[in-house]
Amino acid sequence: MPRQPGPAGTIRYWAAAKAAAGTAEEPYAATTLAEALDAARRRHEGRPEFARVLLRCSFLVDGDPVGTRDHSTVQLAEGGTVEVLPPFAGG
């Protein structure tokens, strides 16, 4: 039996992440943040800078900072939003 996709929502990319992805946002169908990011890496494998930028990013899931939590433990909700935030310069 094929695996059912997880909840569906939106990944939004900001600044350098947006430039590396070539898009401001795209849908996800994943149960965890790790699954959503793995799928995004596969979608953008023709853009090697994308995977490098993700390594430096922080993430918000439905407005809550992920921080240092293991991405495989961060659950995604139906209709949710993942914000991908690269480091910002300035002070």
Coordinates of all heavy atoms in Angstrom, one line a residue:
M1 N 0.8 -1.2 0.0 CA 0.0 0.0 0.0 C 0.9 1.2 0.0 O 1.8 1.4 0.8 CB -0.9 0.0 1.3 CG -1.9 1.0 1.3 SD -3.0 0.6 2.7 CE -4.1 2.0 2.6
P2 N 0.7 2.2 -0.9 CA 1.6 3.4 -1.0 C 1.4 4.2 0.3 O 0.3 4.3 0.8 CB 1.1 4.1 -2.2 CG -0.2 3.5 -2.7 CD -0.3 2.2 -2.0
R3 N 2.4 4.9 0.6 CA 2.4 5.8 1.8 C 1.6 7.0 1.5 O 1.7 7.6 0.4 CB 3.8 6.2 2.1 CG 4.0 7.1 3.3 CD 5.4 7.3 3.6 NE 5.8 8.6 4.0 CZ 5.4 9.1 5.2 NH1 4.7 8.4 6.0 NH2 5.8 10.4 5.5
Q4 N 0.7 7.4 2.3 CA -0.1 8.5 2.1 C 0.7 9.8 2.4 O 1.5 9.8 3.4 CB -1.3 8.5 3.1 CG -2.3 7.4 2.8 CD -2.9 7.5 1.5 OE1 -3.4 8.6 1.1 NE2 -2.9 6.4 0.7
P5 N 0.5 10.8 1.6 CA 1.3 12.1 1.9 C 0.8 12.7 3.2 O -0.4 12.4 3.6 CB 0.9 13.0 0.7 CG -0.3 12.4 0.1 CD -0.3 10.9 0.4
G6 N 1.6 13.4 3.9 CA 1.3 14.0 5.1 C 0.4 15.2 4.9 O -0.1 15.5 3.8
P7 N 0.2 16.0 6.0 CA -0.6 17.2 5.9 C 0.0 18.2 4.8 O 1.2 18.1 4.5 CB -0.4 17.9 7.2 CG 0.0 16.8 8.1 CD 0.8 15.8 7.3
A8 N -0.8 19.0 4.2 CA -0.4 19.9 3.1 C -0.4 21.3 3.7 O -1.3 21.7 4.4 CB -1.4 19.8 1.9
G9 N 0.6 22.0 3.3 CA 0.7 23.4 3.7 C 1.7 24.2 2.7 O 1.9 23.7 1.6
T10 N 2.3 25.2 3.2 CA 3.1 26.1 2.4 C 4.5 26.3 3.0 O 4.6 26.5 4.2 CB 2.5 27.5 2.2 OG1 1.2 27.3 1.6 CG2 3.3 28.4 1.3
I11 N 5.5 26.2 2.2 CA 6.9 26.6 2.6 C 7.1 28.0 2.0 O 7.0 28.1 0.8 CB 8.0 25.6 2.1 CG1 7.7 24.2 2.6 CG2 9.4 26.1 2.5 CD1 8.7 23.2 2.1
R12 N 7.5 28.9 2.8 CA 7.9 30.3 2.3 C 9.4 30.5 2.5 O 9.9 30.3 3.6 CB 7.1 31.3 3.1 CG 5.6 31.3 2.8 CD 5.0 32.6 3.3 NE 3.6 32.5 3.1 CZ 2.7 32.7 4.1 NH1 3.1 33.0 5.3 NH2 1.4 32.6 3.8
Y13 N 10.0 31.0 1.4 CA 11.4 31.2 1.4 C 11.7 32.7 1.5 O 11.0 33.5 0.8 CB 12.1 30.6 0.2 CG 11.9 29.2 0.0 CD1 11.0 28.6 -0.9 CD2 12.6 28.3 0.8 CE1 10.8 27.3 -1.1 CE2 12.4 26.9 0.7 CZ 11.6 26.4 -0.2 OH 11.4 25.1 -0.4
W14 N 12.7 33.1 2.3 CA 13.0 34.5 2.4 C 14.4 34.8 2.0 O 15.3 34.0 2.2 CB 12.8 35.0 3.9 CG 11.4 34.9 4.3 CD1 10.8 33.8 4.9 CD2 10.3 35.8 4.0 NE1 9.4 34.0 5.1 CE2 9.1 35.2 4.5 CE3 10.2 37.0 3.4 CZ2 7.9 35.9 4.4 CZ3 9.0 37.7 3.3 CH2 7.9 37.1 3.8
A15 N 14.7 36.0 1.4 CA 16.0 36.5 1.1 C 16.9 35.5 0.3 O 16.4 35.1 -0.7 CB 16.7 36.9 2.4
A16 N 18.0 35.1 0.8 CA 18.9 34.2 0.1 C 18.3 32.8 -0.2 O 18.5 32.2 -1.2 CB 20.2 34.0 0.9
A17 N 17.4 32.3 0.7 CA 16.7 31.1 0.5 C 15.7 31.2 -0.7 O 15.6 30.3 -1.5 CB 15.9 30.6 1.7
K18 N 15.1 32.3 -0.8 CA 14.2 32.6 -2.0 C 15.0 32.6 -3.3 O 14.6 32.0 -4.3 CB 13.5 33.9 -1.7 CG 12.5 34.3 -2.9 CD 11.9 35.7 -2.5 CE 11.1 36.3 -3.6 NZ 10.5 37.5 -3.2
A19 N 16.1 33.3 -3.2 CA 17.0 33.4 -4.4 C 17.5 32.0 -4.8 O 17.5 31.6 -6.0 CB 18.1 34.3 -4.2
A20 N 17.9 31.2 -3.8 CA 18.4 29.8 -4.1 C 17.3 28.9 -4.6 O 17.6 28.0 -5.5 CB 19.1 29.3 -2.9
A21 N 16.1 29.0 -4.1 CA 15.0 28.2 -4.5 C 14.4 28.6 -5.9 O 13.8 27.8 -6.6 CB 13.9 28.2 -3.5
G22 N 14.6 29.9 -6.2 CA 14.0 30.4 -7.4 C 12.5 30.6 -7.3 O 11.8 30.8 -8.3
T23 N 12.0 30.6 -6.1 CA 10.6 30.8 -5.8 C 10.4 31.4 -4.4 O 11.2 31.1 -3.6 CB 9.8 29.5 -6.0 OG1 8.4 29.8 -5.9 CG2 10.1 28.5 -5.0
A24 N 9.3 32.1 -4.2 CA 9.0 32.7 -2.9 C 8.3 31.7 -2.0 O 8.5 31.7 -0.8 CB 8.1 33.9 -3.0
E25 N 7.5 30.7 -2.6 CA 6.9 29.7 -1.8 C 6.5 28.6 -2.7 O 6.4 28.7 -3.9 CB 5.6 30.3 -1.1 CG 4.5 30.8 -2.0 CD 3.4 31.4 -1.2 OE1 3.6 32.2 -0.3 OE2 2.2 30.9 -1.4
E26 N 6.2 27.4 -2.0 CA 5.8 26.2 -2.7 C 5.1 25.4 -1.7 O 5.2 25.5 -0.5 CB 7.0 25.5 -3.3 CG 8.0 25.0 -2.3 CD 9.3 24.5 -3.1 OE1 9.3 24.5 -4.3 OE2 10.2 24.1 -2.3
P27 N 4.2 24.4 -2.2 CA 3.5 23.6 -1.2 C 4.4 22.5 -0.6 O 5.4 22.1 -1.2 CB 2.4 23.0 -2.1 CG 3.0 23.0 -3.5 CD 3.9 24.2 -3.5
Y28 N 3.9 22.0 0.6 CA 4.5 20.8 1.1 C 3.4 19.8 1.4 O 2.2 20.2 1.5 CB 5.3 21.0 2.4 CG 4.5 21.4 3.6 CD1 3.7 20.5 4.3 CD2 4.5 22.7 4.2 CE1 3.0 20.8 5.5 CE2 3.8 23.0 5.3 CZ 3.0 22.1 5.9 OH 2.3 22.4 7.1
A29 N 3.7 18.5 1.4 CA 2.8 17.4 1.8 C 3.8 16.5 2.6 O 4.4 15.7 2.1 CB 2.2 16.7 0.7
A30 N 3.8 16.8 4.0 CA 4.8 16.1 4.8 C 4.2 16.1 6.2 O 3.5 17.0 6.6 CB 6.1 16.8 4.8
T31 N 4.7 15.1 7.0 CA 4.3 15.0 8.4 C 5.2 15.8 9.3 O 4.8 16.3 10.3 CB 4.3 13.5 8.8 OG1 3.4 12.8 7.9 CG2 3.8 13.3 10.2
T32 N 6.5 15.8 8.9 CA 7.5 16.5 9.8 C 8.3 17.5 9.0 O 8.3 17.5 7.7 CB 8.5 15.5 10.4 OG1 9.3 15.0 9.3 CG2 7.8 14.4 11.2
L33 N 8.9 18.4 9.7 CA 9.8 19.4 9.0 C 10.9 18.7 8.2 O 11.2 19.1 7.1 CB 10.4 20.4 10.0 CG 11.3 21.5 9.5 CD1 10.6 22.3 8.4 CD2 11.8 22.3 10.6
A34 N 11.5 17.7 8.8 CA 12.5 16.9 8.1 C 12.0 16.4 6.7 O 12.7 16.5 5.7 CB 13.1 15.8 8.9
E35 N 10.8 15.8 6.7 CA 10.3 15.3 5.5 C 10.0 16.4 4.4 O 10.3 16.3 3.3 CB 8.9 14.6 5.7 CG 9.1 13.3 6.4 CD 7.7 12.7 6.8 OE1 6.7 13.2 6.3 OE2 7.7 11.7 7.6
A36 N 9.5 17.5 4.9 CA 9.2 18.7 4.0 C 10.5 19.2 3.4 O 10.6 19.5 2.2 CB 8.5 19.8 4.7
L37 N 11.6 19.3 4.2 CA 12.9 19.9 3.7 C 13.5 18.9 2.8 O 14.2 19.3 1.8 CB 13.8 20.2 4.9 CG 13.3 21.4 5.8 CD1 14.2 21.6 6.9 CD2 13.1 22.7 5.0
D38 N 13.4 17.6 3.1 CA 14.0 16.6 2.2 C 13.4 16.6 0.8 O 14.0 16.6 -0.2 CB 13.9 15.2 2.8 CG 14.8 14.9 3.9 OD1 15.8 15.7 4.1 OD2 14.6 13.9 4.7
A39 N 12.0 16.8 0.8 CA 11.3 16.9 -0.5 C 11.7 18.1 -1.2 O 11.9 18.1 -2.4 CB 9.8 16.8 -0.2
A40 N 11.9 19.2 -0.5 CA 12.3 20.5 -1.1 C 13.7 20.4 -1.7 O 13.9 20.8 -2.8 CB 12.2 21.6 -0.1
R41 N 14.6 19.7 -1.0 CA 15.9 19.5 -1.5 C 15.9 18.7 -2.8 O 16.6 19.0 -3.8 CB 16.8 18.8 -0.5 CG 17.4 19.6 0.6 CD 18.4 18.9 1.5 NE 18.5 19.6 2.7 CZ 17.8 19.3 3.8 NH1 16.9 18.4 3.8 NH2 18.0 20.0 4.9
R42 N 15.0 17.6 -2.9 CA 14.9 16.8 -4.1 C 14.3 17.7 -5.2 O 14.8 17.6 -6.4 CB 14.0 15.6 -3.8 CG 14.7 14.5 -3.0 CD 13.9 13.2 -3.0 NE 12.6 13.3 -2.5 CZ 12.3 13.3 -1.2 NH1 13.3 13.1 -0.3 NH2 11.1 13.4 -0.8
R43 N 13.3 18.5 -4.9 CA 12.7 19.3 -6.0 C 13.7 20.3 -6.6 O 13.6 20.7 -7.7 CB 11.6 20.2 -5.4 CG 10.2 19.5 -5.5 CD 9.1 20.5 -5.2 NE 9.2 21.2 -4.0 CZ 8.8 20.7 -2.8 NH1 8.2 19.5 -2.7 NH2 8.9 21.3 -1.7
H44 N 14.7 20.8 -5.8 CA 15.6 21.8 -6.2 C 17.0 21.2 -6.4 O 18.0 22.0 -6.3 CB 15.6 23.0 -5.2 CG 14.3 23.6 -5.1 ND1 13.8 24.4 -6.1 CD2 13.4 23.6 -4.1 CE1 12.6 24.8 -5.7 NE2 12.3 24.4 -4.5
E45 N 17.2 19.9 -6.6 CA 18.5 19.4 -6.7 C 19.3 19.9 -7.9 O 20.5 19.9 -7.9 CB 18.5 17.8 -6.7 CG 17.7 17.2 -7.8 CD 17.6 15.7 -7.6 OE1 18.1 15.2 -6.5 OE2 17.0 15.0 -8.4
G46 N 18.7 20.5 -8.8 CA 19.4 21.2 -9.9 C 19.9 22.6 -9.5 O 20.6 23.2 -10.3
R47 N 19.6 23.0 -8.3 CA 20.1 24.2 -7.8 C 21.0 23.9 -6.5 O 20.5 24.0 -5.4 CB 19.0 25.1 -7.4 CG 18.1 25.6 -8.6 CD 16.9 26.4 -8.0 NE 16.3 27.2 -9.1 CZ 16.6 28.5 -9.3 NH1 17.5 29.1 -8.5 NH2 16.1 29.1 -10.3
P48 N 22.3 23.6 -6.7 CA 23.1 23.1 -5.5 C 23.2 24.2 -4.4 O 23.3 23.8 -3.3 CB 24.4 22.8 -6.2 CG 24.4 23.4 -7.5 CD 23.0 23.6 -7.9
E49 N 23.1 25.4 -4.7 CA 23.1 26.5 -3.7 C 22.0 26.3 -2.7 O 22.1 26.7 -1.5 CB 23.2 27.9 -4.3 CG 23.3 29.0 -3.3 CD 24.6 29.0 -2.5 OE1 25.6 28.3 -2.9 OE2 24.6 29.7 -1.5
F50 N 20.9 25.8 -3.2 CA 19.7 25.7 -2.3 C 20.0 24.8 -1.1 O 19.7 25.2 0.1 CB 18.5 25.1 -3.1 CG 17.3 24.9 -2.3 CD1 16.5 25.9 -2.0 CD2 16.9 23.6 -1.8 CE1 15.3 25.8 -1.2 CE2 15.7 23.4 -1.1 CZ 15.0 24.5 -0.8
A51 N 20.6 23.7 -1.2 CA 20.9 22.8 -0.1 C 21.9 23.5 0.8 O 21.8 23.3 2.1 CB 21.4 21.4 -0.6
R52 N 22.9 24.2 0.3 CA 23.8 24.9 1.1 C 23.2 26.0 1.9 O 23.5 26.2 3.1 CB 25.0 25.5 0.3 CG 25.9 24.4 -0.3 CD 27.2 25.0 -0.9 NE 26.9 25.8 -2.1 CZ 26.9 25.2 -3.3 NH1 27.1 23.9 -3.5 NH2 26.7 26.0 -4.4
V53 N 22.2 26.7 1.3 CA 21.6 27.8 2.1 C 20.7 27.2 3.2 O 20.7 27.7 4.3 CB 20.7 28.6 1.1 CG1 19.7 29.6 1.8 CG2 21.6 29.5 0.2
L54 N 20.0 26.1 2.9 CA 19.2 25.5 4.0 C 20.0 25.1 5.2 O 19.5 25.2 6.3 CB 18.5 24.2 3.5 CG 17.3 24.4 2.6 CD1 16.7 23.0 2.3 CD2 16.3 25.3 3.2
L55 N 21.3 24.8 5.1 CA 22.1 24.4 6.2 C 22.3 25.6 7.2 O 22.5 25.4 8.4 CB 23.5 23.9 5.8 CG 23.5 22.6 5.0 CD1 24.9 22.4 4.5 CD2 23.0 21.5 5.9
R56 N 22.2 26.8 6.7 CA 22.4 28.0 7.5 C 21.1 28.6 8.0 O 21.1 29.6 8.7 CB 23.2 29.1 6.7 CG 24.6 28.6 6.2 CD 25.4 29.7 5.6 NE 24.7 30.5 4.6 CZ 24.8 30.2 3.3 NH1 25.5 29.2 2.8 NH2 24.1 31.0 2.4
C57 N 20.0 28.1 7.5 CA 18.7 28.8 7.8 C 18.1 28.4 9.2 O 18.5 27.4 9.8 CB 17.7 28.4 6.8 SG 18.0 29.2 5.2
S58 N 17.3 29.3 9.7 CA 16.4 28.9 10.8 C 15.0 28.8 10.3 O 14.7 29.2 9.2 CB 16.5 30.0 11.9 OG 16.2 31.2 11.4
F59 N 14.2 28.2 11.1 CA 12.8 27.8 10.6 C 11.8 28.2 11.6 O 12.0 28.1 12.8 CB 12.7 26.3 10.3 CG 13.8 25.8 9.3 CD1 15.0 25.4 9.8 CD2 13.6 25.9 8.0 CE1 16.0 24.9 8.9 CE2 14.5 25.5 7.1 CZ 15.7 25.0 7.6
L60 N 10.6 28.7 11.1 CA 9.5 28.9 11.9 C 8.4 28.0 11.4 O 8.2 27.9 10.2 CB 8.9 30.3 11.8 CG 9.8 31.5 12.2 CD1 9.1 32.8 12.0 CD2 10.1 31.4 13.7
V61 N 7.7 27.3 12.2 CA 6.6 26.4 11.8 C 5.3 27.0 12.5 O 5.2 27.0 13.7 CB 6.8 24.9 12.3 CG1 5.6 24.1 12.0 CG2 8.0 24.4 11.5
D62 N 4.4 27.5 11.7 CA 3.2 28.2 12.1 C 3.5 29.3 13.2 O 2.9 29.4 14.2 CB 2.2 27.1 12.7 CG 1.8 26.2 11.7 OD1 1.7 26.5 10.5 OD2 1.5 25.0 12.0
G63 N 4.6 30.0 12.9 CA 5.0 31.1 13.7 C 5.9 30.8 14.9 O 6.4 31.7 15.6
D64 N 6.1 29.5 15.2 CA 6.9 29.1 16.3 C 8.3 28.8 15.9 O 8.5 27.9 15.0 CB 6.3 27.9 17.0 CG 5.0 28.2 17.7 OD1 4.8 29.3 18.2 OD2 4.1 27.3 17.7
P65 N 9.4 29.3 16.5 CA 10.7 29.0 16.1 C 11.0 27.5 16.4 O 10.7 27.0 17.4 CB 11.6 29.9 17.1 CG 10.7 30.9 17.6 CD 9.3 30.3 17.6
V66 N 11.7 26.9 15.5 CA 12.1 25.5 15.6 C 13.4 25.4 16.5 O 13.5 24.5 17.3 CB 12.4 24.9 14.2 CG1 13.0 23.5 14.4 CG2 11.1 24.8 13.4
G67 N 14.3 26.4 16.4 CA 15.5 26.4 17.2 C 16.3 25.2 17.0 O 16.5 24.8 15.8
T68 N 16.8 24.5 18.0 CA 17.7 23.4 17.9 C 17.0 22.1 17.9 O 17.7 21.0 17.9 CB 18.8 23.4 19.0 OG1 18.1 23.4 20.2 CG2 19.6 24.7 18.9
R69 N 15.7 22.0 17.9 CA 15.0 20.8 17.9 C 15.3 20.0 16.6 O 15.5 20.5 15.5 CB 13.4 21.0 17.9 CG 12.9 21.4 19.3 CD 11.4 21.6 19.3 NE 11.0 22.8 18.5 CZ 9.8 23.0 18.1 NH1 8.9 22.1 18.2 NH2 9.5 24.1 17.4
D70 N 15.3 18.7 16.8 CA 15.5 17.7 15.6 C 14.4 17.9 14.7 O 13.2 17.8 15.1 CB 15.6 16.3 16.2 CG 15.9 15.3 15.1 OD1 15.4 15.4 14.0 OD2 16.5 14.3 15.5
H71 N 14.6 18.2 13.4 CA 13.6 18.5 12.4 C 12.6 17.3 12.3 O 11.5 17.5 11.9 CB 14.2 18.9 11.1 CG 14.9 20.2 11.2 ND1 15.7 20.6 10.1 CD2 15.0 21.1 12.1 CE1 16.2 21.8 10.5 NE2 15.8 22.1 11.7
S72 N 13.1 16.1 12.6 CA 12.2 14.9 12.4 C 11.2 14.8 13.6 O 10.2 14.1 13.5 CB 13.0 13.6 12.4 OG 13.7 13.4 13.6
T73 N 11.4 15.7 14.6 CA 10.4 15.7 15.7 C 9.4 16.8 15.6 O 8.5 17.0 16.4 CB 11.1 15.8 17.1 OG1 11.7 17.1 17.2 CG2 12.1 14.7 17.3
V74 N 9.6 17.7 14.6 CA 8.7 18.9 14.4 C 7.6 18.5 13.5 O 7.8 18.4 12.3 CB 9.5 20.1 13.9 CG1 8.6 21.3 13.7 CG2 10.7 20.4 14.8
Q75 N 6.4 18.4 14.1 CA 5.2 18.0 13.3 C 4.6 19.2 12.5 O 4.6 20.3 13.0 CB 4.1 17.5 14.3 CG 4.6 16.3 15.1 CD 4.7 15.0 14.2 OE1 3.9 14.7 13.5 NE2 5.9 14.4 14.3
L76 N 4.2 18.9 11.3 CA 3.5 19.9 10.5 C 2.0 19.6 10.5 O 1.5 18.5 10.6 CB 4.1 19.8 9.1 CG 5.6 20.0 8.9 CD1 6.0 19.9 7.5 CD2 6.0 21.3 9.5
A77 N 1.3 20.7 10.3 CA -0.2 20.7 10.4 C -0.8 20.9 9.0 O -0.2 21.6 8.2 CB -0.7 21.7 11.4
E78 N -2.0 20.4 8.8 CA -2.7 20.7 7.6 C -2.9 22.2 7.5 O -3.4 22.8 8.5 CB -4.1 20.0 7.6 CG -4.9 20.2 6.4 CD -4.4 19.5 5.2 OE1 -3.7 18.5 5.3 OE2 -4.6 20.1 4.1
G79 N -2.6 22.8 6.4 CA -2.8 24.2 6.2 C -1.7 25.1 6.9 O -1.8 26.3 7.0
G80 N -0.6 24.4 7.3 CA 0.4 25.1 8.1 C 1.4 25.9 7.2 O 1.3 25.8 5.9
T81 N 2.3 26.6 7.8 CA 3.3 27.4 7.1 C 4.7 27.1 7.7 O 4.8 27.2 8.9 CB 3.0 28.9 7.1 OG1 1.7 29.1 6.6 CG2 4.0 29.7 6.3
V82 N 5.6 26.8 6.8 CA 7.0 26.8 7.2 C 7.7 28.0 6.7 O 7.7 28.2 5.4 CB 7.7 25.5 6.7 CG1 9.2 25.5 7.0 CG2 7.0 24.2 7.3
E83 N 8.3 28.8 7.5 CA 9.1 29.9 7.1 C 10.6 29.6 7.1 O 11.1 29.1 8.1 CB 8.9 31.1 8.0 CG 7.5 31.5 8.2 CD 6.8 32.4 7.2 OE1 7.6 32.8 6.3 OE2 5.6 32.6 7.2
V84 N 11.3 29.8 6.0 CA 12.7 29.4 5.9 C 13.5 30.8 5.9 O 13.4 31.6 4.9 CB 13.0 28.7 4.6 CG1 14.5 28.3 4.4 CG2 12.1 27.4 4.5
L85 N 14.2 31.0 7.0 CA 14.8 32.3 7.2 C 16.4 32.2 7.2 O 16.9 31.6 8.2 CB 14.4 32.8 8.6 CG 12.9 32.9 8.8 CD1 12.5 33.2 10.2 CD2 12.3 34.0 7.9
P86 N 17.0 32.7 6.2 CA 18.5 32.7 6.2 C 19.0 33.7 7.2 O 18.2 34.6 7.7 CB 18.9 33.1 4.8 CG 17.7 33.5 4.1 CD 16.5 33.2 5.0
P87 N 20.3 33.6 7.6 CA 20.8 34.6 8.6 C 20.7 36.0 7.9 O 20.9 36.1 6.7 CB 22.3 34.2 8.7 CG 22.4 32.8 8.2 CD 21.2 32.6 7.2
F88 N 20.3 36.9 8.7 CA 20.2 38.3 8.3 C 21.4 39.1 8.7 O 21.9 39.0 9.8 CB 18.9 39.0 8.8 CG 17.7 38.3 8.3 CD1 17.0 37.4 9.0 CD2 17.2 38.7 7.0 CE1 15.9 36.8 8.5 CE2 16.1 38.1 6.5 CZ 15.4 37.2 7.2
A89 N 21.9 39.9 7.8 CA 23.0 40.8 8.1 C 22.5 42.0 8.8 O 21.3 42.4 8.8 CB 23.8 41.2 6.8
G90 N 23.4 42.7 9.5 CA 23.0 44.0 10.1 C 23.0 43.8 11.6 O 23.3 42.8 12.2
G91 N 22.5 44.9 12.3 CA 22.5 44.8 13.7 C 21.7 45.9 14.2 O 20.9 46.0 15.0

